[in-house]
């Protein structure tokens, strides 16, 4: 539980500088339960706080934990060069809060992308030591064979990698489709593994991280949602 003054609340939530947030309040643009906040000095309990700015409702979040269904042709990089960045799919104030993608998907990869402004969470989720499974559905250019599945399961040699990299699980879903579960997060890993096994990745979707599936979130491409604590708990290694 913590109480904050309203200008501080708006600032922490990414609505602008302290000065600008005070102006918003002075202009009568901020309300709680239909009552306009009269002074920026008003302090209020932040836990569960819902407030409105310009008649749009926002829930106070100390930290943001977000899942985005990433469409193709968006870049995860902070300084995108050829396509718009994924941050453009979120409300503008989230960028002010320094929300970042947790790991990266290639610009042409679709599916579940986590985003957060919680440094330790980002670090823990990205740590190779934690072995959090990531589930990918890959569409292949050439037909899938038993041999391809076996190769991906037993490990393939990627350039610059000291050891063979293997899928934790790999199963055929269709003539040109595979489900691949990886516990590492190397650069272009699925595409490079498929290429090293003699096939080619034509399309790639991340369908789950840990036990949290994109299907369970019901997000259309380009949509995002806040993650509840019980959903965050599913983003864990299998053995936890
Ligand atoms: N592996 C890839 O090759 N690309 C991604 O975007 C994710 C995993």
């Amino acid at each position: 539980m913590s109480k904050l003054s309203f200008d501080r609340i708006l600032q922490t939530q990414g609505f602008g500088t302290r000065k600008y947030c005070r102006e918003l309040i002075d202009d009568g643009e901020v309300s709680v339960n239909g009552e306009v906040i009269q002074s920026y000095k008003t302090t209020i309990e932040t836990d569960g706080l819902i407030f409105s700015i310009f008649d749009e409702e926002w829930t106070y979040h100390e930290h943001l934990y977000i899942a985005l269904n990433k469409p193709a042709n968006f870049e995860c990089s902070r300084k995108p060069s050829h396509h718009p960045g994924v941050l453009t799919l979120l409300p503008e104030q989230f960028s002010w809060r320094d929300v970042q993608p947790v790991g990266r998907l290639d610009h042409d990869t679709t599916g579940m992308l986590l985003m957060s402004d919680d440094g330790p969470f980002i670090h823990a989720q990205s740590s190779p030591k934690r072995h959090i499974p990531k589930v990918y559905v890959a569409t292949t250019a050439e037909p899938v064979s038993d041999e391809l599945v076996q190769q991906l399961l037993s490990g393939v040699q990627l350039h610059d990698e000291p050891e063979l990299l293997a899928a934790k699980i790999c199963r055929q879903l269709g003539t040109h489709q595979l489900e691949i579960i990886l516990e590492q997060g190397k650069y272009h890993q699925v595409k490079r593994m498929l290429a090293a096994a003699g096939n080619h990745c034509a399309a790639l979707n991340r369908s789950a991280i840990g036990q949290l599936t994109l299907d369970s979130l019901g997000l259309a491409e380009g949509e995002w949602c806040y993650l509840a604590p019980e959903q965050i708990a599913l983003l864990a290694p299998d053995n936890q």
Side-chain angles (χ1 to χ4, degrees):
M1 303 287 246
S2 66
K3 276 189 156 194
L4 291 178
S5 61
F6 233 100
D7 56 344
R8 181 87 186 109
I9 289 176
L10 297 191
Q11 192 190 15
T12 62
Q13 301 303 288
F15 286 95
T17 61
R18 192 85 166 242
K19 182 166 175 283
Y20 177 70
C21 293
R22 286 180 181 179
E23 282 169 16
L24 281 177
I25 296 164
D26 287 345
D27 291 348
E29 300 295 359
V30 185
S31 57
V32 173
N33 293 330
E35 286 198 24
V36 173
I37 301 297
Q38 299 295 339
S39 161
Y40 65 77
K41 292 182 186 153
T42 307
T43 61
I44 194 158
E45 174 54 54
T46 53
D47 238 28
L49 173 67
I50 298 174
F51 56 94
S52 299
I53 300 188
F54 299 120
D55 292 327
E56 194 173 348
E57 268 197 359
W58 297 96
T59 301
Y60 178 90
H61 290 272
E62 188 182 349
H63 281 297
L64 291 173
Y65 305 96
I66 286 167
L68 168 73
N69 185 354
K70 180 189 170 297
N73 299 322
F74 281 84
E75 290 183 26
C76 288
S77 144
R78 271 168 172 267
K79 291 194 179 143
S81 46
H82 298 294
H83 303 278
V86 285
L87 278 166
T88 61
L89 296 165
L90 304 181
E92 197 187 345
Q93 69 267 27
F94 290 3
S95 303
W96 281 79
R97 294 186 62 163
D98 208 17
V99 166
Q100 304 171 29
V102 180
R104 287 190 181 187
L105 291 177
D106 298 334
H107 82 272
D108 53 354
T109 301
T110 57
M112 193 193 287
L113 180 68
L114 302 177
M115 305 190 64
S116 180
D117 62 351
D118 179 352
F121 170 80
I122 295 173
H123 182 74
Q125 282 297 317
S126 322
S127 167
K129 293 190 190 132
R130 285 195 70 219
H131 303 296
I132 299 172
K134 314 253 170 39
V135 184
Y136 295 94
V137 174
T139 304
T140 56
E142 308 300 330
V144 171
S145 62
D146 288 346
E147 194 198 342
L148 174 71
V149 172
Q150 283 316 314
Q151 258 185 291
L152 294 171
L153 282 170
S154 45
V156 291
Q157 185 67 57
L158 300 187
H159 185 60
D160 281 350
E161 289 299 331
E163 288 170 3
L164 295 184
L165 286 178
K168 184 178 182 225
I169 293 176
C170 179
R171 60 190 183 100
Q172 181 165 3
L173 300 178
T175 56
H176 289 72
Q177 211 166 50
L178 279 174
E179 181 182 72
I180 303 176
I181 304 187
L182 299 180
E183 285 188 338
Q184 315 87 353
K186 308 279 183 191
Y187 182 66
H188 293 329
Q189 189 172 341
V190 174
K191 293 176 184 167
R192 288 163 71 215
M193 284 177 70
L194 279 168
N199 205 311
H200 178 77
C201 185
L204 189 59
N205 177 270
R206 183 154 71 191
S207 59
I209 298 176
Q211 300 300 312
L212 184 67
T213 64
L214 193 55
D215 274 357
S216 71
L217 300 174
L219 298 172
E221 276 199 5
E223 283 183 350
W224 62 273
C225 65
Y226 296 107
L227 293 178
E230 55 278 16
Q231 293 169 317
I232 296 171
L234 297 175
L235 300 167
D238 279 349
N239 55 3
Q240 274 188 7

